[in-house]
Amino acid sequence: MKPTKTDGTEYFHQVVDCQWACPAHTDVPQYIRLIAQGEFTEAYMLNRESNVFPGILGRVCDRPCEPACRRVRVEDKPVAICRLKRVIADNRGDITDRLPQAPTKKNGKRIALVGAGCASLTVANDLLPLGYECVIFEALGKMGGLMRTNIPAFRLPASVLDEEMGYIIDMGVDLRLNSPIESMRDFLKEDYDAVFVGSGAPKGKDLNIPGRDESGRIHIGIFWLESVAFGHTESIGKNVLIIGVGNTAMDCCRTSLRLGAKSVKVMARKPRAFFKASDWELEDAEEEKVEIVVNHSPKSFVMKGGKLVGINFDKMEYEIDEKGRITQSEIVGEAFFPCDDVVLAIGQDNAFPWIERDIGIEFDEWQVPTVDRITFESTRPGVFFGGDAAFGPENIIWAVEHGHQAAISIDKYCQGAPLTERLPRGVNLQSAKMGIHEWSYSNDYDPSGRRIMPHVDLRERFKKLDIEVELGFSIEQVVTEVERCLNCDLQTVFTAQQCIECDACIDICPVDCLTITKNGDEEKIKENLKTPPLNPSQPLYVSEPLKHTARVMVKDENLCVHCGLCAERCPTGAWDMQKSTLIIPYAVDEAEQNESLCQQRQKTG
Amino acid sequence: MTYIVKPKIVHSGLQRNALGLTIRDYEGSMSTLCAGCGHDSITAAIVQAFFELHVPPHRVAKMSGIGCSSKTPAYFLSSAHGFNAVHGRMPSIATGASAANRSLYLLGISGDGDSLSIGLGQFSHAVRRNLNMLYIIENNGVYGLTKGQFSASADVGSKAKRGEMNKQQPIDPVQMAMAQGGTFVARSFSGDKDQLIPLLKAGIKHDGFGLIDIISPCVTFNDHEDSTKSYAYTRQFYHPAVHADFVPPAEEIKASYNRGNVMSVELHDGSRILLRKVSKDYSVHNRGAAIDYIRAHQRKGEIVTGLLYIDQGEPDMHGINRTASLPLNELPFDTLCPGTESLVSLQDLYR
Ligand SMILES: Cc1cc2nc3c(=O)[nH]c(=O)nc-3n(C[C@H](O)[C@H](O)[C@H](O)COP(=O)(O)OP(=O)(O)OC[C@H]3O[C@@H](n4cnc5c(N)ncnc54)[C@H](O)[C@@H]3O)c2cc1C
Ligand SMILES: Cc1ncc(C[n+]2csc(CCOP(=O)(O)OP(=O)(O)O)c2C)c(N)n1
Ligand code: SF4
Ligand code: SF4
Ligand code: SF4
Ligand SMILES: [Mg+2]
């Protein structure tokens, strides 16, 4: 194999699996180390740079980082990355003087943003400091989008939402509530330099089976949650059936319990392995005694005397192949489940009734707009999309990342720079060696298991709709949990010229991920590894030929726990532990670049 | 010296042997030797060999003398028996251990100073006794523990770190062991685990005295440019003559061997050593020729390695002395201590 190229950003970034998996590339290991040092404010600011809403995301992020966390390769459970973020938000000091400021002298450009959800707010967060004027139009009477209307307050308190969105609004957003945009054609005639559409995916899917239109007690999940959030719905029947088993269903069933339901069943068409809801959301619902019924496909709503009395289901059976896919399904019977109310939580769609189809903004057959994955520009120059509005429903952290990228594009668009000429990501490496056996990070492997989030007592939590269930980690829990992080950003960096092939690193490595072997093709090298490579998605590092024998040093990145023992045992310093820092360009950085380019152009005439 | 501990991590790729043990179960406490010491690499090879042989760690007795090398039994098989003898006296203690309990795997770890200077007499007698043990000399050409004085294995012309040159003839434990009737004699290099691990396995399973002289560079006092026991020098003048593969009992011999070049030696427990000659004119059954071959290459500055001599026919110490077939702790008390009458009748035999 050819020596692995580690000079670009990709290689070292990928080793930091959590940061690689995070859509906004939050610097997870660094913020965890800052927590360990008690630097909560510093950690908050580091988070805010990439994910903008640490307090919100520390509670309700979809956390794609956690399944990616390397910790699961040496034990069952990942580091509680998300909950540690909340620790930062809960314990930070005053940050008002550290927030970005909008300059008093504006740059003369006006940007319109449709919808006051997390996507639009991120765009405003990035553009205000550059001197843009940002006007947000929101249909509802409150800002926050689905975070306010759909994510229940028992998971995300309104105060947290208000505070973190407030930081942005206070920078000088012109926020116009109760201002739905009803015609994009007319809107585009107004005097804006660019438009950002962050209007979400606001249409809840319906279930058209017999009886659907005969009762008022059949609710569409996201609308129902919204009406609960605004206090329009204050109760529900004793017996509730939730159709669907995604995250929306989990919020609907738990909300029902808080509105007076005594028995709540979540009805799933397929077996558990096919559930869309995250494991932790399922766990939290089941802790509240919600029953999840599998293999039941709704067939018809049953009415008696004009009143909904229940649902008839087809009982299903599935054949599943060895890869876990359904190959065949069969109806094996029927079952009736009584209920007073039904909540449909079977998905969301995009809907843009307010955007005319003849104004240069193209849509595909599913009514999703055609949006560039890098620039977030639609087919009409100057109109950008982000968040759920761009590619259909996703989550908050994706909406934030879309916002960052759209902000870069909007700035370039307004300054007349090409949208696709974007700064590349970079990586900085710095040796972590402090002394003969001292490293600038806590390199000891801590075998402790994941800390369990304490919850409000089961009798207490239903008393009000907005009692936050999760209490947050105690200080003792934090102290243990931070040590579980493996410091994956502390890279093992190898200098082949220095290696004397003494094997010390190979012998000491507690996870047997190093091998010195004859060079050959990938298959051959894999055969000779000390531990068989189990995770093909993880890169193999192959060194330059070693000077004594021309063999190569091979590292399977999969298992490394970044303990630094290889570097500690190496007599020649061929291995070193180096802290990698990912450099992610934001609109500010791009703007600086644009400016210096412009100056250069002026100089060279 | 590393003072942080190698953590016990059960990672997803960790394999188990026939006893259900992982390689971690064959390790010992953290080494306090200099980082990069060849001895640590030998430790790792020993760990691997016992793991692959599925030997229960508590069926091993680790014997050693004094020196950096002699410290290493602390770093492997932490649940084995062990005895750290005085300098150069490990062979006597090992003899006693073998006499008392012949069922243990006896593993001696020594250094070139421990075996070839102060312990030379002890070493010779263990060989001629054909004590049933594997005796490892971790050979670095210096007294590492006492800060790098030349040992008796230093080559003529080799320079110490401070510059002075050795002018005395070296003692070669391999040639000595062959001359004194050793029945399994090998040389290897800490930096070549592919060769070393099968040799260790064969040596552990061999009945009788097995010697493996392992060149094991001292990174601190003998890895400089004019040393003849450095990593660089050893690799440059390394001359593998015979490669030995160890095949456990009842395991198929892989077809990939070219028959003409391979010789199989069967051990007492049914396992086999497959000898693959790297050098055509080498014979592992002829002491005289073997010594000549080693000498001839020595004159060219080359270090001949591999399984250099093996003889499965000679009785070991127990065989020679017709001792009891069971370890003493398994003999019934009456047999072990047959009483005054038996003693008297024994004494009468010599009156
Ligand atoms: C029940 C439920 C639970 C969820 N839980 C989580 C969770 O725990 N974690 C997570 O990460 N994600 C969760 N999500 C998804 C997440 O809420 C969304 O992905 C995210 O809010 C999308 O942000 P956005 O800014 O794109 O749009 P939205 O949050 O949908 O905001 C869009 C805003 O635009 C406004 N608007 C729409 N049309 C117009 C118009 N024409 N004129 C003016 N204003 C308009 C809307 O009123 C709304 O305020 C959940 C979603 C649901 C439905
Ligand atoms: C009776 C006695 N004499 C001398 C010493 C000092 N001494 C300790 S270790 C050693 C030499 C060890 O050399 P070697 O066996 O080659 O081990 P290494 O450290 O090189 O591995 C000596 C002379 C001693 N401990 N005991
Ligand atoms: S840091 Fe080095 S010793 Fe530790 S797990 Fe990674 S490769 Fe192995
Ligand atoms: S410890 Fe250092 S010198 Fe020894 S093999 Fe590893 S990298 Fe090479
Ligand atoms: S002094 Fe030499 S022999 Fe002793 S531990 Fe250090 S390198 Fe090894
Ligand atoms: Mg020595």
Side-chain angles (χ1 to χ4, degrees):
Chain A
M1 285 174 81
K2 292 229 173 63
T4 308
K5 280 209 171 61
T6 55
D7 44 0
T9 318
E10 293 286 289
Y11 188 83
F12 289 128
H13 184 190
Q14 259 192 77
V15 171
V16 195
D17 281 281
C18 50
Q19 197 181 7
W20 179 254
C22 173
H25 303 305
T26 303
D27 192 347
V28 174
Q30 178 64 9
Y31 84 63
I32 294 183
R33 273 191 301 276
L34 287 170
I35 300 176
Q37 295 158 13
E39 298 282 358
F40 299 111
T41 312
E42 207 59 49
Y44 186 87
M45 294 315 293
L46 179 72
N47 263 281
R48 195 181 183 282
E49 189 172 292
S50 55
N51 59 49
V52 188
F53 305 108
I56 295 172
L57 288 163
R59 292 171 163 85
V60 300
C61 187
D62 243 2
R63 22 178 164 150
C65 53
E66 290 195 13
C69 172
R70 285 182 166 268
R71 187 84 190 184
V72 297
R73 301 177 207 163
V74 286
E75 58 145 311
D76 312 344
K77 293 261 166 81
V79 174
I81 299 172
C82 182
R83 291 334 186 229
L84 286 174
K85 202 190 307 296
R86 171 173 171 185
V87 169
I88 294 168
D90 287 355
N91 293 287
R92 71 180 191 272
D94 183 22
I95 56 150
T96 35
D97 59 344
R98 303 193 52 174
L99 289 168
Q101 303 265 315
T104 36
K105 192 170 166 286
K106 303 293 171 206
N107 69 358
K109 306 278 182 192
R110 292 179 81 220
I111 314 299
L113 305 108
V114 183
C118 39
S120 293
L121 284 165
T122 303
V123 175
N125 178 70
D126 287 8
L127 290 181
L128 286 164
L130 300 179
Y132 287 89
E133 211 181 309
C134 294
V135 189
I136 299 185
F137 296 86
E138 168 57 51
L140 301 173
K142 277 186 172 168
M143 62 173 168
L146 290 180
M147 296 192 295
R148 180 170 324 260
T149 60
N150 266 242
I151 300 183
F154 58 83
R155 287 207 291 129
L156 177 59
S159 57
V160 177
L161 206 54
D162 291 337
E163 184 170 31
E164 288 192 329
M165 291 190 303
Y167 294 146
I168 299 167
I169 301 298
D170 294 347
M171 249 191 276
V173 173
D174 181 352
L175 174 64
R176 307 197 186 162
L177 297 174
N178 301 311
S179 311
I181 303 303
E182 271 146 5
S183 160
M184 187 67 153
R185 189 197 308 279
D186 297 347
F187 190 56
L188 288 171
K189 289 183 191 139
E190 290 181 29
D191 185 23
Y192 292 103
D193 293 283
V195 173
F196 176 79
V197 180
S199 57
K203 202 171 122 198
K205 284 196 173 128
D206 209 336
L207 180 66
N208 289 314
I209 54 172
R212 170 65 186 92
D213 299 325
E214 290 165 36
S215 167
R217 308 281 298 252
I218 303 167
H219 319 281
I220 289 182
I222 66 166
F223 300 142
W224 181 74
L225 285 171
E226 182 179 317
S227 94
V228 174
F230 285 121
H232 306 318
T233 296
E234 288 178 327
S235 66
I236 197 161
K238 294 256 171 298
N239 233 337
V240 179
L241 292 180
I242 314 285
I243 309 293
V245 69
N247 287 341
T248 304
M250 295 304 111
D251 284 337
C252 291
C253 65
R254 297 178 70 192
T255 300
S256 303
L257 288 172
R258 285 156 176 80
L259 294 184
K262 290 287 167 261
S263 152
V264 181
K265 291 189 173 66
V266 172
M267 307 300 295
R269 231 154 37 87
K270 293 181 184 168
R272 198 159 179 119
F274 298 87
F275 289 4
K276 288 220 178 81
S278 324
D279 290 342
W280 53 87
E281 301 235 13
L282 286 164
E283 273 169 31
D284 289 347
E286 287 184 315
E287 176 185 305
E288 296 183 357
K289 306 281 179 295
V290 168
E291 192 187 333
I292 298 177
V293 182
V294 298
N295 298 349
H296 280 71
S297 180
K299 196 178 174 190
S300 60
F301 295 103
V302 182
M303 303 290 172
K304 218 178 223 167
K307 193 175 156 272
L308 177 74
V309 289
I311 303 180
N312 269 329
F313 291 87
D314 280 332
K315 284 190 57 196
M316 307 298 293
E317 251 178 38
Y318 299 93
E319 261 173 48
I320 293 167
D321 68 7
E322 67 283 357
K323 285 200 182 114
R325 292 171 307 199
I326 290 180
T327 50
Q328 231 177 345
S329 64
E330 201 189 334
I331 300 171
V332 293
E334 232 186 72
F336 172 79
F337 283 75
C339 67
D340 305 314
D341 283 88
V342 176
V343 184
L344 301 174
I346 50 179
Q348 263 167 277
D349 280 329
N350 284 65
F352 298 95
W354 54 281
I355 300 184
E356 294 79 357
R357 300 299 138 113
D358 58 352
I359 52 172
I361 301 174
E362 276 171 28
F363 287 83
D364 68 12
E365 50 186 306
W366 295 280
Q367 299 310 308
V368 178
T370 308
V371 175
D372 187 280
R373 289 251 168 210
I374 289 164
T375 64
F376 292 85
E377 195 176 32
S378 71
T379 49
R380 178 173 170 135
V383 177
F384 300 84
F385 282 71
D388 288 358
F391 313 112
E394 272 178 298
N395 55 33
I396 302 169
I397 191 66
W398 269 115
V400 168
E401 175 59 10
H402 292 178
H404 283 313
Q405 295 308 322
I408 292 175
S409 299
I410 292 172
D411 178 44
K412 286 187 185 294
Y413 178 81
C414 292
Q415 305 304 327
L419 302 195
T420 47
E421 266 178 37
R422 299 165 97 89
L423 286 176
R425 280 190 218 134
V427 81
N428 262 351
L429 287 173
Q430 194 186 18
S431 178
K433 206 169 175 68
M434 303 288 282
I436 299 181
H437 299 293
E438 241 182 292
W439 301 101
S440 64
Y441 70 109
S442 160
N443 61 329
D444 275 0
Y445 175 82
D446 189 322
S448 308
R450 183 178 166 117
R451 301 295 95 180
I452 294 165
M453 175 56 67
H455 285 175
V456 172
D457 189 274
L458 268 172
R459 277 169 310 227
E460 285 303 309
R461 70 173 74 155
F462 300 114
K463 289 190 175 156
K464 265 168 58 197
L465 195 54
D466 60 355
I467 296 178
E468 187 175 13
V469 171
E470 295 191 354
L471 291 166
F473 281 147
S474 70
I475 267 315
E476 290 77 10
Q477 287 182 304
V478 173
V479 168
T480 308
E481 193 62 38
V482 289
E483 287 299 326
R484 295 182 69 239
C485 172
L486 298 173
N487 300 287
C488 300
D489 58 340
L490 275 117
Q491 310 280 353
T492 54
V493 178
F494 187 68
T495 313
Q497 265 308 304
Q498 263 158 261
C499 176
I500 56 168
E501 300 172 52
C502 70
D503 280 5
C505 53
I506 292 166
D507 300 336
I508 196 70
C509 176
V511 289
D512 312 297
C513 67
L514 303 176
T515 308
I516 294 181
T517 181
K518 264 201 206 124
N519 204 349
D521 57 26
E522 192 168 341
E523 278 316 296
K524 197 90 215 134
I525 286 189
K526 282 188 170 163
E527 260 170 46
N528 290 337
L529 292 186
K530 207 172 165 200
T531 305
L534 296 172
N535 190 345
S537 73
Q538 286 281 316
L540 276 191
Y541 165 82
V542 179
S543 76
E544 301 276 342
L546 303 177
K547 65 181 180 202
H548 286 175
T549 62
R551 294 181 299 169
V552 285
M553 174 72 77
V554 185
K555 181 185 177 207
D556 182 0
E557 290 290 358
N558 183 33
L559 290 173
C560 177
V561 292
H562 303 266
C563 62
L565 284 174
C566 50
E568 191 137 330
R569 290 303 281 174
C570 179
T572 65
W575 281 115
D576 189 23
M577 301 308 289
Q578 299 189 2
K579 157 96 179 81
S580 64
T581 309
L582 188 68
I583 304 157
I584 305 169
Y586 295 103
V588 212
D589 310 297
E590 296 272 4
E592 273 168 22
Q593 173 86 354
N594 291 345
E595 219 163 276
S596 67
L597 274 179
C598 287
Q599 279 167 1
Q600 259 173 25
R601 274 195 210 122
Q602 275 164 5
K603 265 187 220 148
T604 51
Chain B
M1 208 178 106
T2 300
Y3 50 77
I4 53 175
V5 201
K6 174 168 176 172
K8 269 201 194 285
I9 301 178
V10 183
H11 59 81
S12 44
L14 202 60
Q15 284 153 346
R16 291 184 183 274
N17 68 9
L19 301 175
L21 300 177
T22 73
I23 195 140
R24 298 282 101 84
D25 300 313
Y26 288 81
E27 291 176 344
S29 55
M30 186 71 193
S31 169
T32 58
L33 301 187
C34 306
C37 179
H39 300 354
D40 280 335
S41 199
I42 299 171
T43 295
I46 293 171
V47 165
Q48 186 76 30
F50 278 104
F51 169 75
E52 287 177 11
L53 286 175
H54 322 289
V55 170
H58 67 279
R59 299 309 299 158
V60 180
K62 311 173 290 187
M63 317 303 285
S64 69
I66 298 293
C68 295
S69 35
S70 294
K71 283 171 72 176
T72 64
Y75 314 141
F76 60 84
L77 301 189
S78 49
S79 44
H81 306 271
F83 200 105
N84 202 190
V86 280
H87 203 13
R89 268 61 181 171
M90 175 263 277
S92 311
I93 308 286
T95 305
S98 175
N101 191 339
R102 59 185 298 171
S103 73
L104 297 177
Y105 289 98
L106 208 52
L107 181 69
I109 307 286
S110 182
D112 42 331
D114 195 59
S115 287
L116 307 180
S117 295
I118 193 167
L120 188 67
Q122 294 249 332
F123 170 66
S124 298
H125 286 284
V127 181
R128 63 176 278 277
R129 221 172 264 148
N130 203 17
L131 184 60
N132 186 12
M133 77 182 296
L134 176 62
Y135 193 109
I136 290 169
I137 298 181
E138 304 188 344
N139 191 342
N140 53 15
V142 288
Y143 300 163
L145 191 70
T146 54
K147 307 252 175 292
Q149 303 83 351
F150 282 125
S151 80
S153 73
D155 296 297
V156 175
S158 180
K159 279 195 185 152
K161 204 174 182 180
R162 286 277 176 84
E164 70 273 34
M165 189 189 283
N166 174 48
K167 293 179 183 142
Q168 300 179 60
Q169 287 297 321
I171 297 176
D172 179 0
V174 160
Q175 292 178 53
M176 260 187 74
M178 282 193 200
Q180 288 161 350
T183 48
F184 177 107
V185 184
R187 181 157 19 233
S188 190
F189 170 39
S190 66
D192 184 1
K193 287 205 183 80
D194 288 345
Q195 184 193 59
L196 180 55
I197 292 170
L199 276 179
L200 285 167
K201 291 190 332 196
I204 291 163
K205 288 291 182 181
H206 168 75
D207 267 355
F209 189 85
L211 169 77
I212 311 180
D213 175 44
I214 309 173
I215 313 288
S216 174
C218 169
V219 276
T220 303
F221 298 113
N222 208 8
D223 195 38
H224 44 272
E225 208 161 298
D226 296 314
S227 153
T228 59
K229 295 261 189 300
S230 65
Y231 282 105
Y233 186 94
T234 310
R235 287 206 165 95
Q236 193 179 346
F237 296 99
Y238 198 54
H239 179 88
V242 195
H243 183 85
D245 276 323
F246 179 80
V247 186
E251 192 167 291
E252 284 285 319
I253 293 174
K254 282 193 215 129
S256 64
Y257 286 109
N258 181 343
R259 281 222 162 176
N261 291 336
V262 177
M263 206 176 85
S264 167
V265 178
E266 185 155 336
L267 300 183
H268 294 274
D269 70 344
S271 50
R272 279 153 299 169
I273 304 172
L274 295 184
L275 296 167
R276 201 161 16 102
K277 284 193 213 175
V278 180
S279 176
K280 272 208 187 90
D281 46 341
Y282 195 87
S283 158
V284 279
H285 290 314
N286 184 333
R287 277 204 181 95
I291 293 178
D292 287 346
Y293 185 93
I294 295 167
R295 288 226 172 106
H297 283 271
Q298 209 172 22
R299 277 193 292 276
K300 292 192 271 176
E302 287 176 355
I303 309 153
V304 176
T305 64
L307 178 51
L308 302 172
Y309 179 74
I310 182 164
D311 178 355
Q312 284 284 286
E314 292 296 317
D316 77 337
M317 179 183 82
H318 288 281
I320 295 168
N321 295 307
R322 294 185 290 117
T323 59
S325 60
L326 286 176
L328 301 189
N329 62 5
E330 284 176 32
L331 288 178
F333 185 76
D334 293 348
T335 321
L336 191 63
C337 188
T340 318
E341 271 174 38
S342 305
L343 178 64
V344 171
S345 64
L346 178 74
Q347 285 169 333
D348 281 347
L349 279 177
Y350 297 102
R351 274 193 225 280

